[in-house]
Amino acid sequence: PEPIGPDKIVYASIHGMLSRLDPHTAFLEPDDYAAMRWKQQGSFFGLGIQIQKRMGKITVIAPMEGTPAYKMGVRAGDIITHIEDEEIKEDASTDDVVKKLRGPKGTQVHITLRRTGLDEPLRMTITRAEIPTLSVPYAFMLNDDTGYIFLRDFTHTSSREVISALEKLQKQGMKKLVFDLRGNPGGVLDQAVDVADVFLQKGSKIVYTRGRTPSSAQDFFAPGEGAHFDKPLVVLISRGSASAS
């Protein structure tokens, strides 16, 4: 039999114990925890591309404007075949590829692309840079007086992004808002409080936490000290809206 490392045995034991508790208790292994921290801090170091596995191939969905990949000419539809001259295997997941593409700021990564219409593969050397992960990818006017804001999740920059979007739309004449939280899985608690504070009266209870120890019991109220929006509001949610949203 293949030997199993002690860390895998320990992690399997922890997952087994937690599975007997409730669906809201989770244990993050180091790689998963690092990925969560990357996502919540509002930025990471990488190339600036969205990828997806299509027909078994790692495919670029879109390069993000202004990022290293965008400047180097990576296009939607490009297939990534090699990273650092190592072929991407068919069973590789998008997460596996993302881990190889991300790295310290200023370091370089060599990728090989296949592009429709070109016989020869494209080889690029791209320098990693800080890539912002926007919580508010879309904010625009639906008509003369109705604004729309999509909040994707709650990271450490979410309230700042929401307030900035509100200020932008109000300058364009917004009198009503459609606030889209569909598919928003939640995230950082204090950011959820700060975003809710924008729409609630000062002193309103936003959320409370309760646990087995007295120290885990907390009540969060709207501070009412920042930007405030008290005009007509429609909130969109779906079955994928959870936790903070």
Side-chain angles (χ1 to χ4, degrees), residues 98-137:
V98 165
K99 286 174 186 175
K100 291 180 180 179
L101 293 176
R102 289 181 179 177
K105 182 179 181 180
T107 57
Q108 292 185 331
V109 60
H110 305 284
I111 63 171
T112 304
L113 305 171
R114 281 257 175 216
R115 180 174 295 169
T116 302
L118 296 181
D119 295 331
E120 295 297 318
L122 294 169
R123 182 174 160 80
M124 294 183 180
T125 300
I126 305 179
T127 303
R128 296 179 176 103
E130 185 170 7
I131 310 298
T133 54
L134 296 177
S135 285
V136 178

PDB file of all heavy atoms in Angstrom, residues 98-137:
ATOM      1  N   VAL A  98      -4.522  27.670 -11.283  1.00  0.00           N
ATOM      2  CA  VAL A  98      -4.487  28.978 -10.620  1.00  0.00           C
ATOM      3  C   VAL A  98      -3.323  29.050  -9.627  1.00  0.00           C
ATOM      4  O   VAL A  98      -2.608  30.059  -9.548  1.00  0.00           O
ATOM      5  CB  VAL A  98      -5.830  29.259  -9.908  1.00  0.00           C
ATOM      6  CG1 VAL A  98      -5.690  30.415  -8.910  1.00  0.00           C
ATOM      7  CG2 VAL A  98      -6.905  29.587 -10.924  1.00  0.00           C
ATOM      8  N   LYS A  99      -3.108  27.972  -8.867  1.00  0.00           N
ATOM      9  CA  LYS A  99      -2.004  27.957  -7.894  1.00  0.00           C
ATOM     10  C   LYS A  99      -0.655  28.153  -8.573  1.00  0.00           C
ATOM     11  O   LYS A  99       0.242  28.797  -8.022  1.00  0.00           O
ATOM     12  CB  LYS A  99      -2.015  26.631  -7.122  1.00  0.00           C
ATOM     13  CG  LYS A  99      -3.129  26.523  -6.094  1.00  0.00           C
ATOM     14  CD  LYS A  99      -3.164  25.139  -5.475  1.00  0.00           C
ATOM     15  CE  LYS A  99      -4.375  24.989  -4.558  1.00  0.00           C
ATOM     16  NZ  LYS A  99      -4.506  23.611  -4.036  1.00  0.00           N
ATOM     17  N   LYS A 100      -0.510  27.612  -9.778  1.00  0.00           N
ATOM     18  CA  LYS A 100       0.762  27.751 -10.492  1.00  0.00           C
ATOM     19  C   LYS A 100       0.921  29.133 -11.120  1.00  0.00           C
ATOM     20  O   LYS A 100       2.031  29.625 -11.296  1.00  0.00           O
ATOM     21  CB  LYS A 100       0.871  26.677 -11.577  1.00  0.00           C
ATOM     22  CG  LYS A 100       1.029  25.266 -11.016  1.00  0.00           C
ATOM     23  CD  LYS A 100       1.130  24.242 -12.116  1.00  0.00           C
ATOM     24  CE  LYS A 100       1.299  22.827 -11.551  1.00  0.00           C
ATOM     25  NZ  LYS A 100       1.372  21.809 -12.610  1.00  0.00           N
ATOM     26  N   LEU A 101      -0.197  29.751 -11.483  1.00  0.00           N
ATOM     27  CA  LEU A 101      -0.137  31.066 -12.115  1.00  0.00           C
ATOM     28  C   LEU A 101       0.083  32.182 -11.099  1.00  0.00           C
ATOM     29  O   LEU A 101       0.700  33.199 -11.411  1.00  0.00           O
ATOM     30  CB  LEU A 101      -1.424  31.335 -12.909  1.00  0.00           C
ATOM     31  CG  LEU A 101      -1.650  30.456 -14.132  1.00  0.00           C
ATOM     32  CD1 LEU A 101      -2.996  30.765 -14.757  1.00  0.00           C
ATOM     33  CD2 LEU A 101      -0.536  30.643 -15.154  1.00  0.00           C
ATOM     34  N   ARG A 102      -0.412  31.995  -9.886  1.00  0.00           N
ATOM     35  CA  ARG A 102      -0.214  33.009  -8.849  1.00  0.00           C
ATOM     36  C   ARG A 102       1.157  32.852  -8.214  1.00  0.00           C
ATOM     37  O   ARG A 102       1.735  31.770  -8.215  1.00  0.00           O
ATOM     38  CB  ARG A 102      -1.304  32.897  -7.782  1.00  0.00           C
ATOM     39  CG  ARG A 102      -2.665  33.333  -8.268  1.00  0.00           C
ATOM     40  CD  ARG A 102      -3.709  33.233  -7.185  1.00  0.00           C
ATOM     41  NE  ARG A 102      -5.010  33.682  -7.667  1.00  0.00           N
ATOM     42  CZ  ARG A 102      -6.134  33.645  -6.953  1.00  0.00           C
ATOM     43  NH1 ARG A 102      -6.110  33.160  -5.717  1.00  0.00           N
ATOM     44  NH2 ARG A 102      -7.261  34.074  -7.450  1.00  0.00           N
ATOM     45  N   GLY A 103       1.654  33.943  -7.656  1.00  0.00           N
ATOM     46  CA  GLY A 103       2.959  33.896  -7.006  1.00  0.00           C
ATOM     47  C   GLY A 103       3.358  35.276  -6.537  1.00  0.00           C
ATOM     48  O   GLY A 103       2.576  36.235  -6.645  1.00  0.00           O
ATOM     49  N   PRO A 104       4.564  35.424  -6.008  1.00  0.00           N
ATOM     50  CA  PRO A 104       5.004  36.717  -5.466  1.00  0.00           C
ATOM     51  C   PRO A 104       4.992  37.821  -6.521  1.00  0.00           C
ATOM     52  O   PRO A 104       5.252  37.584  -7.701  1.00  0.00           O
ATOM     53  CB  PRO A 104       6.434  36.430  -4.981  1.00  0.00           C
ATOM     54  CG  PRO A 104       6.478  34.949  -4.775  1.00  0.00           C
ATOM     55  CD  PRO A 104       5.568  34.364  -5.807  1.00  0.00           C
ATOM     56  N   LYS A 105       4.715  39.029  -6.079  1.00  0.00           N
ATOM     57  CA  LYS A 105       4.694  40.195  -6.959  1.00  0.00           C
ATOM     58  C   LYS A 105       6.059  40.398  -7.610  1.00  0.00           C
ATOM     59  O   LYS A 105       7.093  40.291  -6.959  1.00  0.00           O
ATOM     60  CB  LYS A 105       4.317  41.431  -6.143  1.00  0.00           C
ATOM     61  CG  LYS A 105       4.210  42.719  -6.952  1.00  0.00           C
ATOM     62  CD  LYS A 105       3.807  43.865  -6.058  1.00  0.00           C
ATOM     63  CE  LYS A 105       3.655  45.167  -6.844  1.00  0.00           C
ATOM     64  NZ  LYS A 105       3.257  46.284  -5.953  1.00  0.00           N
ATOM     65  N   GLY A 106       6.051  40.654  -8.903  1.00  0.00           N
ATOM     66  CA  GLY A 106       7.295  40.937  -9.612  1.00  0.00           C
ATOM     67  C   GLY A 106       8.002  39.717 -10.176  1.00  0.00           C
ATOM     68  O   GLY A 106       8.945  39.857 -10.948  1.00  0.00           O
ATOM     69  N   THR A 107       7.536  38.520  -9.808  1.00  0.00           N
ATOM     70  CA  THR A 107       8.154  37.315 -10.366  1.00  0.00           C
ATOM     71  C   THR A 107       7.540  37.017 -11.730  1.00  0.00           C
ATOM     72  O   THR A 107       6.462  37.499 -12.069  1.00  0.00           O
ATOM     73  CB  THR A 107       7.958  36.094  -9.441  1.00  0.00           C
ATOM     74  OG1 THR A 107       6.539  35.902  -9.220  1.00  0.00           O
ATOM     75  CG2 THR A 107       8.634  36.321  -8.097  1.00  0.00           C
ATOM     76  N   GLN A 108       8.236  36.207 -12.514  1.00  0.00           N
ATOM     77  CA  GLN A 108       7.785  35.910 -13.867  1.00  0.00           C
ATOM     78  C   GLN A 108       7.261  34.488 -13.976  1.00  0.00           C
ATOM     79  O   GLN A 108       7.701  33.592 -13.245  1.00  0.00           O
ATOM     80  CB  GLN A 108       8.927  36.103 -14.864  1.00  0.00           C
ATOM     81  CG  GLN A 108       9.354  37.553 -15.027  1.00  0.00           C
ATOM     82  CD  GLN A 108      10.405  37.732 -16.097  1.00  0.00           C
ATOM     83  OE1 GLN A 108      11.192  36.824 -16.362  1.00  0.00           O
ATOM     84  NE2 GLN A 108      10.429  38.895 -16.744  1.00  0.00           N
ATOM     85  N   VAL A 109       6.323  34.300 -14.887  1.00  0.00           N
ATOM     86  CA  VAL A 109       5.822  32.966 -15.188  1.00  0.00           C
ATOM     87  C   VAL A 109       5.782  32.811 -16.706  1.00  0.00           C
ATOM     88  O   VAL A 109       5.425  33.743 -17.431  1.00  0.00           O
ATOM     89  CB  VAL A 109       4.426  32.726 -14.549  1.00  0.00           C
ATOM     90  CG1 VAL A 109       3.401  33.718 -15.071  1.00  0.00           C
ATOM     91  CG2 VAL A 109       3.955  31.300 -14.801  1.00  0.00           C
ATOM     92  N   HIS A 110       6.216  31.647 -17.193  1.00  0.00           N
ATOM     93  CA  HIS A 110       6.226  31.359 -18.627  1.00  0.00           C
ATOM     94  C   HIS A 110       5.023  30.481 -18.954  1.00  0.00           C
ATOM     95  O   HIS A 110       4.838  29.422 -18.351  1.00  0.00           O
ATOM     96  CB  HIS A 110       7.514  30.632 -19.020  1.00  0.00           C
ATOM     97  CG  HIS A 110       8.758  31.360 -18.607  1.00  0.00           C
ATOM     98  ND1 HIS A 110       9.237  32.465 -19.262  1.00  0.00           N
ATOM     99  CD2 HIS A 110       9.616  31.140 -17.572  1.00  0.00           C
ATOM    100  CE1 HIS A 110      10.334  32.896 -18.680  1.00  0.00           C
ATOM    101  NE2 HIS A 110      10.582  32.109 -17.651  1.00  0.00           N
ATOM    102  N   ILE A 111       4.198  30.928 -19.887  1.00  0.00           N
ATOM    103  CA  ILE A 111       3.030  30.136 -20.283  1.00  0.00           C
ATOM    104  C   ILE A 111       3.037  29.929 -21.803  1.00  0.00           C
ATOM    105  O   ILE A 111       3.578  30.748 -22.550  1.00  0.00           O
ATOM    106  CB  ILE A 111       1.696  30.780 -19.853  1.00  0.00           C
ATOM    107  CG1 ILE A 111       1.498  32.139 -20.535  1.00  0.00           C
ATOM    108  CG2 ILE A 111       1.625  30.914 -18.341  1.00  0.00           C
ATOM    109  CD1 ILE A 111       0.108  32.734 -20.312  1.00  0.00           C
ATOM    110  N   THR A 112       2.452  28.818 -22.225  1.00  0.00           N
ATOM    111  CA  THR A 112       2.297  28.537 -23.653  1.00  0.00           C
ATOM    112  C   THR A 112       0.811  28.457 -23.961  1.00  0.00           C
ATOM    113  O   THR A 112       0.051  27.789 -23.245  1.00  0.00           O
ATOM    114  CB  THR A 112       2.986  27.205 -24.035  1.00  0.00           C
ATOM    115  OG1 THR A 112       4.357  27.271 -23.643  1.00  0.00           O
ATOM    116  CG2 THR A 112       2.907  26.975 -25.536  1.00  0.00           C
ATOM    117  N   LEU A 113       0.401  29.159 -25.029  1.00  0.00           N
ATOM    118  CA  LEU A 113      -1.013  29.240 -25.405  1.00  0.00           C
ATOM    119  C   LEU A 113      -1.232  28.664 -26.797  1.00  0.00           C
ATOM    120  O   LEU A 113      -0.370  28.769 -27.670  1.00  0.00           O
ATOM    121  CB  LEU A 113      -1.479  30.703 -25.413  1.00  0.00           C
ATOM    122  CG  LEU A 113      -1.292  31.534 -24.148  1.00  0.00           C
ATOM    123  CD1 LEU A 113      -1.602  32.998 -24.440  1.00  0.00           C
ATOM    124  CD2 LEU A 113      -2.179  31.025 -23.032  1.00  0.00           C
ATOM    125  N   ARG A 114      -2.400  28.085 -26.995  1.00  0.00           N
ATOM    126  CA  ARG A 114      -2.869  27.711 -28.327  1.00  0.00           C
ATOM    127  C   ARG A 114      -3.999  28.675 -28.684  1.00  0.00           C
ATOM    128  O   ARG A 114      -4.919  28.869 -27.885  1.00  0.00           O
ATOM    129  CB  ARG A 114      -3.405  26.283 -28.324  1.00  0.00           C
ATOM    130  CG  ARG A 114      -2.298  25.244 -28.363  1.00  0.00           C
ATOM    131  CD  ARG A 114      -2.183  24.659 -29.758  1.00  0.00           C
ATOM    132  NE  ARG A 114      -1.063  23.732 -29.874  1.00  0.00           N
ATOM    133  CZ  ARG A 114      -0.324  23.626 -30.954  1.00  0.00           C
ATOM    134  NH1 ARG A 114      -0.555  24.407 -31.989  1.00  0.00           N
ATOM    135  NH2 ARG A 114       0.660  22.754 -31.021  1.00  0.00           N
ATOM    136  N   ARG A 115      -3.909  29.283 -29.860  1.00  0.00           N
ATOM    137  CA  ARG A 115      -4.922  30.249 -30.277  1.00  0.00           C
ATOM    138  C   ARG A 115      -5.507  29.825 -31.623  1.00  0.00           C
ATOM    139  O   ARG A 115      -4.769  29.495 -32.560  1.00  0.00           O
ATOM    140  CB  ARG A 115      -4.322  31.646 -30.371  1.00  0.00           C
ATOM    141  CG  ARG A 115      -5.314  32.734 -30.801  1.00  0.00           C
ATOM    142  CD  ARG A 115      -4.695  34.117 -30.722  1.00  0.00           C
ATOM    143  NE  ARG A 115      -4.380  34.466 -29.337  1.00  0.00           N
ATOM    144  CZ  ARG A 115      -3.637  35.528 -28.993  1.00  0.00           C
ATOM    145  NH1 ARG A 115      -3.131  36.303 -29.933  1.00  0.00           N
ATOM    146  NH2 ARG A 115      -3.399  35.782 -27.718  1.00  0.00           N
ATOM    147  N   THR A 116      -6.817  29.855 -31.713  1.00  0.00           N
ATOM    148  CA  THR A 116      -7.495  29.485 -32.959  1.00  0.00           C
ATOM    149  C   THR A 116      -7.001  30.360 -34.108  1.00  0.00           C
ATOM    150  O   THR A 116      -6.918  31.586 -33.975  1.00  0.00           O
ATOM    151  CB  THR A 116      -9.021  29.653 -32.800  1.00  0.00           C
ATOM    152  OG1 THR A 116      -9.465  28.850 -31.709  1.00  0.00           O
ATOM    153  CG2 THR A 116      -9.757  29.222 -34.050  1.00  0.00           C
ATOM    154  N   GLY A 117      -6.654  29.724 -35.215  1.00  0.00           N
ATOM    155  CA  GLY A 117      -6.193  30.461 -36.390  1.00  0.00           C
ATOM    156  C   GLY A 117      -4.690  30.525 -36.522  1.00  0.00           C
ATOM    157  O   GLY A 117      -4.169  30.914 -37.569  1.00  0.00           O
ATOM    158  N   LEU A 118      -3.993  30.141 -35.436  1.00  0.00           N
ATOM    159  CA  LEU A 118      -2.530  30.143 -35.477  1.00  0.00           C
ATOM    160  C   LEU A 118      -2.014  28.708 -35.435  1.00  0.00           C
ATOM    161  O   LEU A 118      -2.444  27.914 -34.598  1.00  0.00           O
ATOM    162  CB  LEU A 118      -1.950  30.931 -34.293  1.00  0.00           C
ATOM    163  CG  LEU A 118      -2.260  32.436 -34.239  1.00  0.00           C
ATOM    164  CD1 LEU A 118      -1.588  33.058 -33.019  1.00  0.00           C
ATOM    165  CD2 LEU A 118      -1.790  33.142 -35.505  1.00  0.00           C
ATOM    166  N   ASP A 119      -1.101  28.380 -36.340  1.00  0.00           N
ATOM    167  CA  ASP A 119      -0.552  27.024 -36.383  1.00  0.00           C
ATOM    168  C   ASP A 119       0.424  26.773 -35.245  1.00  0.00           C
ATOM    169  O   ASP A 119       0.480  25.667 -34.692  1.00  0.00           O
ATOM    170  CB  ASP A 119       0.152  26.780 -37.729  1.00  0.00           C
ATOM    171  CG  ASP A 119      -0.817  26.822 -38.904  1.00  0.00           C
ATOM    172  OD1 ASP A 119      -1.997  26.484 -38.675  1.00  0.00           O
ATOM    173  OD2 ASP A 119      -0.394  27.195 -40.008  1.00  0.00           O
ATOM    174  N   GLU A 120       1.194  27.804 -34.909  1.00  0.00           N
ATOM    175  CA  GLU A 120       2.223  27.645 -33.886  1.00  0.00           C
ATOM    176  C   GLU A 120       1.722  28.131 -32.530  1.00  0.00           C
ATOM    177  O   GLU A 120       0.963  29.107 -32.454  1.00  0.00           O
ATOM    178  CB  GLU A 120       3.486  28.432 -34.269  1.00  0.00           C
ATOM    179  CG  GLU A 120       4.176  27.934 -35.520  1.00  0.00           C
ATOM    180  CD  GLU A 120       4.677  26.514 -35.351  1.00  0.00           C
ATOM    181  OE1 GLU A 120       5.228  26.192 -34.271  1.00  0.00           O
ATOM    182  OE2 GLU A 120       4.510  25.705 -36.293  1.00  0.00           O
ATOM    183  N   PRO A 121       2.128  27.466 -31.448  1.00  0.00           N
ATOM    184  CA  PRO A 121       1.740  27.933 -30.116  1.00  0.00           C
ATOM    185  C   PRO A 121       2.414  29.265 -29.778  1.00  0.00           C
ATOM    186  O   PRO A 121       3.459  29.609 -30.334  1.00  0.00           O
ATOM    187  CB  PRO A 121       2.227  26.811 -29.188  1.00  0.00           C
ATOM    188  CG  PRO A 121       3.298  26.112 -29.955  1.00  0.00           C
ATOM    189  CD  PRO A 121       2.929  26.233 -31.397  1.00  0.00           C
ATOM    190  N   LEU A 122       1.792  30.021 -28.883  1.00  0.00           N
ATOM    191  CA  LEU A 122       2.349  31.293 -28.425  1.00  0.00           C
ATOM    192  C   LEU A 122       3.002  31.076 -27.063  1.00  0.00           C
ATOM    193  O   LEU A 122       2.388  30.526 -26.154  1.00  0.00           O
ATOM    194  CB  LEU A 122       1.243  32.343 -28.282  1.00  0.00           C
ATOM    195  CG  LEU A 122       0.546  32.805 -29.550  1.00  0.00           C
ATOM    196  CD1 LEU A 122      -0.681  33.633 -29.193  1.00  0.00           C
ATOM    197  CD2 LEU A 122       1.502  33.637 -30.394  1.00  0.00           C
ATOM    198  N   ARG A 123       4.239  31.517 -26.927  1.00  0.00           N
ATOM    199  CA  ARG A 123       4.939  31.414 -25.645  1.00  0.00           C
ATOM    200  C   ARG A 123       5.109  32.821 -25.084  1.00  0.00           C
ATOM    201  O   ARG A 123       5.625  33.711 -25.778  1.00  0.00           O
ATOM    202  CB  ARG A 123       6.285  30.724 -25.831  1.00  0.00           C
ATOM    203  CG  ARG A 123       7.058  30.525 -24.538  1.00  0.00           C
ATOM    204  CD  ARG A 123       8.314  29.712 -24.795  1.00  0.00           C
ATOM    205  NE  ARG A 123       9.305  29.877 -23.739  1.00  0.00           N
ATOM    206  CZ  ARG A 123       9.279  29.249 -22.560  1.00  0.00           C
ATOM    207  NH1 ARG A 123       8.307  28.399 -22.303  1.00  0.00           N
ATOM    208  NH2 ARG A 123      10.218  29.457 -21.658  1.00  0.00           N
ATOM    209  N   MET A 124       4.667  33.033 -23.863  1.00  0.00           N
ATOM    210  CA  MET A 124       4.735  34.358 -23.243  1.00  0.00           C
ATOM    211  C   MET A 124       5.421  34.295 -21.894  1.00  0.00           C
ATOM    212  O   MET A 124       5.262  33.311 -21.148  1.00  0.00           O
ATOM    213  CB  MET A 124       3.328  34.942 -23.050  1.00  0.00           C
ATOM    214  CG  MET A 124       2.579  35.245 -24.321  1.00  0.00           C
ATOM    215  SD  MET A 124       0.977  36.020 -23.947  1.00  0.00           S
ATOM    216  CE  MET A 124       0.342  36.252 -25.604  1.00  0.00           C
ATOM    217  N   THR A 125       6.157  35.354 -21.578  1.00  0.00           N
ATOM    218  CA  THR A 125       6.726  35.529 -20.249  1.00  0.00           C
ATOM    219  C   THR A 125       6.021  36.718 -19.618  1.00  0.00           C
ATOM    220  O   THR A 125       6.118  37.844 -20.118  1.00  0.00           O
ATOM    221  CB  THR A 125       8.245  35.796 -20.327  1.00  0.00           C
ATOM    222  OG1 THR A 125       8.876  34.675 -20.952  1.00  0.00           O
ATOM    223  CG2 THR A 125       8.825  35.982 -18.931  1.00  0.00           C
ATOM    224  N   ILE A 126       5.277  36.466 -18.550  1.00  0.00           N
ATOM    225  CA  ILE A 126       4.444  37.511 -17.947  1.00  0.00           C
ATOM    226  C   ILE A 126       4.899  37.748 -16.510  1.00  0.00           C
ATOM    227  O   ILE A 126       5.128  36.799 -15.747  1.00  0.00           O
ATOM    228  CB  ILE A 126       2.952  37.113 -17.985  1.00  0.00           C
ATOM    229  CG1 ILE A 126       2.522  36.794 -19.428  1.00  0.00           C
ATOM    230  CG2 ILE A 126       2.087  38.233 -17.418  1.00  0.00           C
ATOM    231  CD1 ILE A 126       1.076  36.371 -19.569  1.00  0.00           C
ATOM    232  N   THR A 127       5.029  39.014 -16.140  1.00  0.00           N
ATOM    233  CA  THR A 127       5.430  39.383 -14.785  1.00  0.00           C
ATOM    234  C   THR A 127       4.191  39.549 -13.909  1.00  0.00           C
ATOM    235  O   THR A 127       3.271  40.305 -14.248  1.00  0.00           O
ATOM    236  CB  THR A 127       6.240  40.697 -14.802  1.00  0.00           C
ATOM    237  OG1 THR A 127       7.376  40.524 -15.658  1.00  0.00           O
ATOM    238  CG2 THR A 127       6.709  41.049 -13.400  1.00  0.00           C
ATOM    239  N   ARG A 128       4.171  38.834 -12.804  1.00  0.00           N
ATOM    240  CA  ARG A 128       3.023  38.892 -11.899  1.00  0.00           C
ATOM    241  C   ARG A 128       2.896  40.274 -11.254  1.00  0.00           C
ATOM    242  O   ARG A 128       3.888  40.914 -10.927  1.00  0.00           O
ATOM    243  CB  ARG A 128       3.146  37.835 -10.801  1.00  0.00           C
ATOM    244  CG  ARG A 128       3.121  36.395 -11.312  1.00  0.00           C
ATOM    245  CD  ARG A 128       3.274  35.427 -10.160  1.00  0.00           C
ATOM    246  NE  ARG A 128       3.166  34.027 -10.577  1.00  0.00           N
ATOM    247  CZ  ARG A 128       4.190  33.206 -10.725  1.00  0.00           C
ATOM    248  NH1 ARG A 128       5.435  33.659 -10.525  1.00  0.00           N
ATOM    249  NH2 ARG A 128       4.003  31.952 -11.070  1.00  0.00           N
ATOM    250  N   ALA A 129       1.671  40.713 -11.065  1.00  0.00           N
ATOM    251  CA  ALA A 129       1.398  42.006 -10.429  1.00  0.00           C
ATOM    252  C   ALA A 129       0.181  41.858  -9.534  1.00  0.00           C
ATOM    253  O   ALA A 129      -0.497  40.820  -9.531  1.00  0.00           O
ATOM    254  CB  ALA A 129       1.156  43.073 -11.490  1.00  0.00           C
ATOM    255  N   GLU A 130      -0.109  42.903  -8.767  1.00  0.00           N
ATOM    256  CA  GLU A 130      -1.275  42.862  -7.885  1.00  0.00           C
ATOM    257  C   GLU A 130      -2.545  42.969  -8.725  1.00  0.00           C
ATOM    258  O   GLU A 130      -2.690  43.879  -9.540  1.00  0.00           O
ATOM    259  CB  GLU A 130      -1.223  44.006  -6.871  1.00  0.00           C
ATOM    260  CG  GLU A 130      -2.361  43.943  -5.852  1.00  0.00           C
ATOM    261  CD  GLU A 130      -2.183  44.925  -4.707  1.00  0.00           C
ATOM    262  OE1 GLU A 130      -1.256  45.745  -4.754  1.00  0.00           O
ATOM    263  OE2 GLU A 130      -2.972  44.862  -3.759  1.00  0.00           O
ATOM    264  N   ILE A 131      -3.441  42.024  -8.511  1.00  0.00           N
ATOM    265  CA  ILE A 131      -4.703  41.980  -9.256  1.00  0.00           C
ATOM    266  C   ILE A 131      -5.846  42.249  -8.285  1.00  0.00           C
ATOM    267  O   ILE A 131      -6.066  41.473  -7.345  1.00  0.00           O
ATOM    268  CB  ILE A 131      -4.919  40.600  -9.918  1.00  0.00           C
ATOM    269  CG1 ILE A 131      -3.672  40.157 -10.706  1.00  0.00           C
ATOM    270  CG2 ILE A 131      -6.161  40.632 -10.800  1.00  0.00           C
ATOM    271  CD1 ILE A 131      -3.286  41.046 -11.845  1.00  0.00           C
ATOM    272  N   PRO A 132      -6.585  43.343  -8.444  1.00  0.00           N
ATOM    273  CA  PRO A 132      -7.709  43.596  -7.542  1.00  0.00           C
ATOM    274  C   PRO A 132      -8.854  42.620  -7.809  1.00  0.00           C
ATOM    275  O   PRO A 132      -9.141  42.286  -8.956  1.00  0.00           O
ATOM    276  CB  PRO A 132      -8.128  45.035  -7.886  1.00  0.00           C
ATOM    277  CG  PRO A 132      -7.677  45.235  -9.300  1.00  0.00           C
ATOM    278  CD  PRO A 132      -6.441  44.386  -9.464  1.00  0.00           C
ATOM    279  N   THR A 133      -9.469  42.127  -6.742  1.00  0.00           N
ATOM    280  CA  THR A 133     -10.654  41.273  -6.887  1.00  0.00           C
ATOM    281  C   THR A 133     -11.864  42.109  -6.481  1.00  0.00           C
ATOM    282  O   THR A 133     -12.120  42.303  -5.297  1.00  0.00           O
ATOM    283  CB  THR A 133     -10.548  40.012  -6.005  1.00  0.00           C
ATOM    284  OG1 THR A 133     -10.280  40.414  -4.657  1.00  0.00           O
ATOM    285  CG2 THR A 133      -9.427  39.112  -6.469  1.00  0.00           C
ATOM    286  N   LEU A 134     -12.553  42.617  -7.459  1.00  0.00           N
ATOM    287  CA  LEU A 134     -13.640  43.558  -7.183  1.00  0.00           C
ATOM    288  C   LEU A 134     -14.856  42.860  -6.587  1.00  0.00           C
ATOM    289  O   LEU A 134     -15.325  41.853  -7.096  1.00  0.00           O
ATOM    290  CB  LEU A 134     -14.053  44.270  -8.473  1.00  0.00           C
ATOM    291  CG  LEU A 134     -12.991  45.174  -9.115  1.00  0.00           C
ATOM    292  CD1 LEU A 134     -13.521  45.747 -10.419  1.00  0.00           C
ATOM    293  CD2 LEU A 134     -12.583  46.289  -8.165  1.00  0.00           C
ATOM    294  N   SER A 135     -15.359  43.431  -5.494  1.00  0.00           N
ATOM    295  CA  SER A 135     -16.634  42.970  -4.932  1.00  0.00           C
ATOM    296  C   SER A 135     -17.797  43.533  -5.735  1.00  0.00           C
ATOM    297  O   SER A 135     -18.863  42.944  -5.802  1.00  0.00           O
ATOM    298  CB  SER A 135     -16.775  43.426  -3.472  1.00  0.00           C
ATOM    299  OG  SER A 135     -15.965  42.669  -2.634  1.00  0.00           O
ATOM    300  N   VAL A 136     -17.595  44.724  -6.304  1.00  0.00           N
ATOM    301  CA  VAL A 136     -18.637  45.381  -7.103  1.00  0.00           C
ATOM    302  C   VAL A 136     -18.141  45.463  -8.553  1.00  0.00           C
ATOM    303  O   VAL A 136     -17.537  46.455  -8.960  1.00  0.00           O
ATOM    304  CB  VAL A 136     -18.960  46.795  -6.570  1.00  0.00           C
ATOM    305  CG1 VAL A 136     -20.020  47.468  -7.442  1.00  0.00           C
ATOM    306  CG2 VAL A 136     -19.439  46.725  -5.128  1.00  0.00           C
ATOM    307  N   PRO A 137     -18.371  44.407  -9.338  1.00  0.00           N
ATOM    308  CA  PRO A 137     -17.914  44.432 -10.726  1.00  0.00           C
ATOM    309  C   PRO A 137     -18.782  45.300 -11.628  1.00  0.00           C
ATOM    310  O   PRO A 137     -18.324  45.768 -12.666  1.00  0.00           O
ATOM    311  CB  PRO A 137     -17.986  42.965 -11.154  1.00  0.00           C
ATOM    312  CG  PRO A 137     -19.019  42.350 -10.265  1.00  0.00           C
ATOM    313  CD  PRO A 137     -18.951  43.105  -8.972  1.00  0.00           C
TER     314      PRO A 137
END
